[in-house]
Amino acid sequence: MNAFAKLSLKLRLIVTTAVLVVLSVAVVSAFNFFTVRSSAMATLTQSTQALAEARAAGIAEWVKTRAAVVAALAPATAVEDPLPALTQGVRSGGFDTTYIGYASKKATFSSPQNLPPDWDPTARPWYTQASATQGVALTEPYVDAGSKKLVMTFALAVKNGAQTAAVAAGDVFMDVVASSVTAIHPTPSSNAFIVSRGGKVLVHETLDLVLKDATALAPGLNAAGVGAMVDSRQLTRMDIQGTDSLLLATPIAGTDWVLVVALHRGEALAGLRQLLVNALLGGVVVAVISVLVAAAVVATAVAGLGRLEKAMQDVASGDGDLRLCRISRGGAC
């Protein structure tokens, strides 16, 4: 403060004006940036949400169609020869195999199977899951040992009172779902995957992660974290295997699956960062020009005061001429 007080009047005015100009430009630039940033984040959220909802709707329709085909097999459980219906089910739903397991532990398949003589359909997960489910049950996807492809089973229990008389089921490769999900790349390093609401990976471009806990991708992808993302329907920042990401979760109707789009944060916000750089450069240019103009105006305005100050200092020192004189812009006493 003492150093500032020792400055001449002109310098003090110039410094004060410069500080006010710089602060004003900084405040306006910051306000504009955060306003644009908020709008950009809202736009990014909406576009990601639209992409996720469109893919989720397509997957839901895929599930619905195959569930309907399995449901149509219910009457075949009561006929003597269900093979024609099972064969038609394969063609209609794109199933790899359709079959019926009976409570008597007998089973009929749409195509020959190499099964051991003591194979019991009632002990299979699809049979027990269907028996405990109202409507068509969906098993968790699993990797087929032979093809290394994702497979899931649709199964429907046909009951006689409270007892299950038979279960109609179909196995289908999830190539369509997997390719639809792994093809999602909003930016070069962004991707998508499906997890269950329980926090298990069901579809991922890295096959080794399938059926593992989603916490293998990020600690926050547990059941509670997945549920919170579904409820918020907003971009959630999370580190996915070392990559700073923005995640948006969308439920898939008719299942307990959740489609997660993982945006590479750096790539997704690249345009915003460039906007910040441009705003900073523009602010600096405006500030410099404004300070120079203000300095010139102040210097011109106080030029006369400077000459008056010098004359008064001369008088105060005893060296000045006390005779009446006229002080003009260009002259002296």
Side-chain angles (χ1 to χ4, degrees), residues 18-41:
V19 170
L20 290 175
V21 168
V22 170
L23 286 177
S24 298
V25 172
V27 169
V28 172
S29 298
F31 176 79
N32 290 338
F33 171 74
F34 285 109
T35 299
V36 173
R37 182 182 184 278
S38 178
S39 177
M41 287 299 293

Side-chain angles (χ1 to χ4, degrees), residues 36 61 75 141 152 188 266 272 306 326:
V36 173
E61 186 61 30
M152 68 177 299
L272 195 59
R326 181 174 61 84

